[in-house]
Amino acid sequence: MPQVAILGSTGSIGTSTLEVIRHNLDKYQIIALTANTDADKLLSQCIEFKPKYAVLLDKSKALHLEAQLKNHQLTTILLTNKEDLSYVVQLPEVDIVMSAIVGSHGLMPTYSAILAGKRVLLANKESLVAAGRLINDALKANPKASLIPVDSEHSAIFQSLPTDFATNKNGINKIILTASGGPFREYLKEQLVSVTPEMAVKHPNWSMGKKISVDSSTLMNKGLEVIEAYWLFGTDLDKIDVVVHPQSIIHSMVEYIDGSIIAQLGTPDMKTPIAYALSYPDRIVSGSSKLDFSTLSSLTFEKPDYERFPCLTLAFEALKTGRSSPAVLNAANEVAVSLFLEHKISFYDIYKLIKSAMEYFGTRDYSTIDEIIAIDKAVREYTNSIA
Ligand code: NAD
Ligand code: MG
């Protein structure tokens, strides 16, 4: 039975992954679970799935958690260091790694899993945005490793592309990423000026962590996904389009040169792409509800509004500029989103801070993960200092 390690098991994607595995207990076994601070949730997951290892980064809660694990007669080994995230994914018994930490903190363990030749299911798009070229180099150097998309759009594209797309781009005209448009799709610019984090995290179709919910409301999420698609599928930038589709039923599409368009559809539920990433090339039950066409009144499409949602423009610019620019965009965005969630800055300040950081840092070459991590740190410090 494949042994699964989940990075970020207490989050939205982590929890959904465990839900899918609950439907497939005869097919997968949990070997490691990791969390940042949510000790209670990690404990209940350990009680249910009995992993060999658990990682909790919040050291102040570790002693108590360790005692509780013992009380439940669990032999789970509790680790508490950042480096332990990379350690658990590299264990020889691990077959599959779900990369579902939010933000660039997920980069090092994701990269370590690839170096160790694991099958990596990628939800943590920020890793690929920050270090796409290095991740692809690591995949080439470690043919046993694979990177399978979890993001619903990229799962849809993965399912709509020919299986040999990595070596054969013949016939593919473009990739069309769909975007829900987020909770503020119909807001005027004057209204957007004063939206609150509480409004931003209420996504109309998807239930997600706070950071990605804010990213969806600024359309930065789609920008990050354009960069993610560029690295995952090796598509030219001018062959990636974004179309707003508010119902989130078509999860993305591939257009071929003969005019055919192949799309993947389903209810907006991350359990479907998570299940496909786990079982590819087979299929397993995911627990998602099925799409009922008789209740769908319409599927609509519109162009994204770059004027009201300028973060999307910044992401295209960062990809076009290349080199370290996407890493700068990503780090500045992470800081700006945190500050917005803490009510310290307004909605459009997110855009202004990222733009300032991109101007200040410009772009430069990098050749190691440590360099990317240093850039990430410097951009975080700078963005906090000008906020
Ligand atoms: P979340 O905030 O719900 O969960 C984040 C997880 O990461 C938690 O388990 C938390 O303990 C852990 N974590 C947070 N900070 C950490 C740190 N510094 N070190 C180690 N662990 C840390 O987030 P989410 O919505 O599940 O998103 C996770 C990733 O998946 C993000 O990259 C997001 O963009 C991507 N994603 C999410 C969805 C979704 O529907 N939620 C869809 C597509 C992609
Ligand atoms: Mg997505």
Side-chain angles (χ1 to χ4, degrees), residues 161-174:
L161 282 169
T163 45
D164 63 348
F165 74 85
T167 50
N168 177 12
K169 296 274 178 291
N170 278 346
I172 301 168
N173 196 41
K174 63 181 175 192

Side-chain angles (χ1 to χ4, degrees), residues 125 151-153 221 225:
K125 65 192 91 184
D151 219 341
S152 58
E153 295 78 1
N221 183 50
E225 290 183 355

Side-chain angles (χ1 to χ4, degrees), residues 307-333:
E307 164 75 17
R308 280 181 305 138
F309 301 104
C311 284
L312 186 54
T313 309
L314 289 181
F316 272 104
E317 274 171 20
L319 183 55
K320 219 175 279 167
T321 310
R323 306 202 288 172
S324 61
S325 285
V328 174
L329 170 97
N330 181 65
N333 180 55

